Amino acid sequence: MINLDGASLLFPTSFGYFDPHMLAMAAKFPDAQFRHCGGMWKEGVNPKNTGSYFGYIGMGQYLNGIVAGHATKSKKIGFIAAKPIPQVLLNINSFLLGARAVDPTITCQVIFTGEWSLAVKEAEATNALVDQGVDVVTCHVDSPKVVVETAAGRGAFVCGYHANQSPLAPQKYLTGAEWNWANVYKMYVEKTAGRAALPNFTRGGLADGFVKMSPLGPAVSDTARKQFEATKAEMMKGGFAVIKGPLKTNKGADVAAAGKSYPETAIELESMNYLVEGVLGSTA
Amino acid sequence: MTSRMPSRLVLDRRQFLKTSAAGAALGITASSAAARYSPRRRASPSAFIYVGPKDDYGYNQAHAEGAAALKCDQGRHHHRGGERPGDRRRPEDRWSR
């Protein structure tokens, strides 16, 4: 792309592209700019012509959780996850905590498939969750298509992730946490066109237009809609914290003492390595 | 989101296309695909590398929708990856949409 197309700004979008692929190319082409999707770029460690961009999509999973919390009858919700990396763990914890903002007795069973894209395991995991009585599921895998179609086929509700999956299950799709990368890419391209320096560390949330929610589906009740809208409005003001004390991990260790909170911008959240109380499952 | 294609293969293929384009410019050979890569068309500032189909209802589609917004606003941008075996898109579309 650099040699042939003259590209000067590259977006290797995948988690696995950072090291060694992007770092090797960045050293080989010092005049090109590389921005990686994820949380891996570190000041003082990685080259200045590289960087990372990501969004606070955990807030979207918290909003998913609120709608899920209203929709569940069994008080069991489920999460199909790829790998236990910080961004995935934050999404799982946020989904459960959103649901617990509705009903603190709700639990969330998580199943890790081990890979970003493993359709057969994703289908098996979804079926296993429904077999256990889970009636609302969401996920963090590359393509939620199998999860959404399998869950809806079994009669469970679904919350989406990454993009809008409502066309796959119009009646069962509640809402979804979506990326809004257009705003991020436009910012980079405009800065490049204006010959301005590109930021190395780019983050944003709902208020910054990095993340958005799918329109609420027909199965969402008025009560759920009100709590969803009110919480979203709070998030738009900035400073909303999903992770706040008193909070323990599901192994009983302290995450945050009473009064302590971690807003979406807290850098500690990018090294999350635990599941909170109420999540059934293990990171290892 | 793991890399599934050996990077040497990617570079080799692109090197081949570059050589083809240079050949076309010198009049040694001419094909519509090679003509697309003449130096006159090398103005695009940005490039995207995917890890799965751009219509996956997920991670890749989200990035492709963001990139598509640029295409509307800012002219041509380049994409790489995201094809499945048996994908019926024309090969040249992979680099220029």
Side-chain angles (χ1 to χ4, degrees):
Chain A
M1 288 173 158
I2 297 170
N3 281 337
L4 195 60
D5 303 321
S8 59
L9 171 60
L10 287 93
F11 299 103
T13 60
S14 173
F15 180 73
Y17 290 164
F18 185 85
D19 187 5
H21 309 290
M22 184 185 83
L23 295 179
M25 289 297 112
K28 187 175 175 184
F29 297 103
D31 293 335
Q33 290 287 330
F34 296 79
R35 292 296 179 274
H36 178 258
C37 183
M40 300 175 82
W41 187 85
K42 288 195 170 51
E43 175 89 55
V45 176
N46 299 125
K48 286 286 186 192
N49 65 329
T50 63
S52 70
Y53 60 98
F54 206 69
Y56 301 125
I57 202 165
M59 292 285 163
Q61 280 290 8
Y62 186 88
L63 292 169
N64 273 351
I66 287 175
V67 178
H70 284 279
T72 181
K73 289 191 170 63
S74 65
K75 306 300 175 189
K76 293 177 181 177
I77 60 176
F79 200 114
I80 294 105
K83 302 181 187 224
I85 65 168
Q87 289 83 2
V88 177
L89 297 175
L90 179 58
N91 280 335
I92 300 165
N93 292 333
S94 298
F95 186 57
L96 179 274
L97 291 169
R100 286 204 158 184
V102 179
D103 181 342
T105 67
I106 291 172
T107 57
C108 177
Q109 175 75 53
V110 59
I111 297 178
F112 290 98
T113 63
E115 281 298 336
W116 295 109
S117 183
L118 214 54
V120 173
K121 269 203 168 181
E122 290 156 16
E124 286 172 356
T126 309
N127 278 317
L129 289 174
V130 177
D131 288 345
Q132 290 170 36
V134 164
D135 56 2
V136 189
V137 299
T138 191
C139 62
H140 186 161
V141 297
D142 271 7
S143 172
K145 188 168 190 254
V146 167
V147 171
V148 171
E149 290 181 336
T150 307
R154 293 286 308 271
F157 290 112
V158 261
C159 294
Y161 190 64
H162 286 316
N164 186 348
Q165 290 97 33
S166 62
L168 300 172
Q171 299 305 312
K172 291 294 184 181
Y173 192 82
L174 298 173
T175 182
E178 299 181 37
W179 297 110
N180 196 8
W181 293 130
N183 286 332
V184 183
Y185 291 147
K186 280 182 190 170
M187 176 274 289
Y188 279 127
V189 169
E190 281 164 13
K191 281 188 189 296
T192 302
R195 301 196 181 280
L198 297 184
N200 296 99
F201 184 91
T202 304
R203 296 290 187 276
L206 278 165
D208 311 285
F210 281 38
V211 171
K212 60 186 175 184
M213 296 303 293
S214 310
L216 295 177
V220 175
S221 67
D222 285 343
T223 321
R225 181 181 296 270
K226 278 185 190 140
Q227 190 173 355
F228 173 93
E229 296 292 356
T231 310
K232 191 176 163 198
E234 280 300 308
M235 289 177 177
M236 295 299 274
K237 291 181 195 166
F240 189 91
V242 165
I243 303 295
K244 63 182 181 203
L247 187 64
K248 288 183 182 298
T249 72
N250 65 1
K251 293 193 169 116
D254 284 326
V255 170
K260 174 73 179 168
S261 67
Y262 296 93
E264 63 183 10
T265 49
I267 198 71
E268 294 92 336
L269 300 179
E270 297 200 17
S271 52
M272 183 171 278
N273 61 359
Y274 54 83
L275 293 166
V276 299
E277 188 178 9
V279 177
L280 310 176
S282 171
T283 57
Chain B
M1 294 193 286
T2 49
S3 174
R4 296 180 191 125
M5 193 179 288
S7 55
R8 268 190 62 190
L9 178 65
V10 174
L11 291 173
D12 288 348
R13 185 158 65 163
R14 298 196 73 76
Q15 194 62 37
F16 167 77
L17 284 167
K18 187 184 181 188
T19 310
S20 301
L26 291 168
I28 296 167
T29 181
S31 74
S32 60
R36 294 176 73 97
Y37 304 111
S38 68
R40 282 186 295 117
R41 314 255 335 233
R42 289 173 56 176
S44 173
S46 63
F48 294 85
I49 306 165
Y50 301 104
V51 70
K54 290 194 282 282
D55 57 353
D56 66 353
Y57 284 95
Y59 190 82
N60 295 287
Q61 183 168 318
H63 284 292
E65 285 171 2
L70 288 183
K71 194 177 176 185
C72 297
D73 288 1
Q74 323 258 356
R76 276 158 39 91
H77 297 274
H78 296 280
H79 302 254
R80 190 81 175 87
E83 299 83 22
R84 288 172 291 195
D87 205 336
R88 284 182 293 175
R89 291 177 189 131
R90 291 175 304 153
E92 59 267 33
D93 283 348
R94 294 172 191 169
W95 289 280
S96 55
R97 74 174 84 182

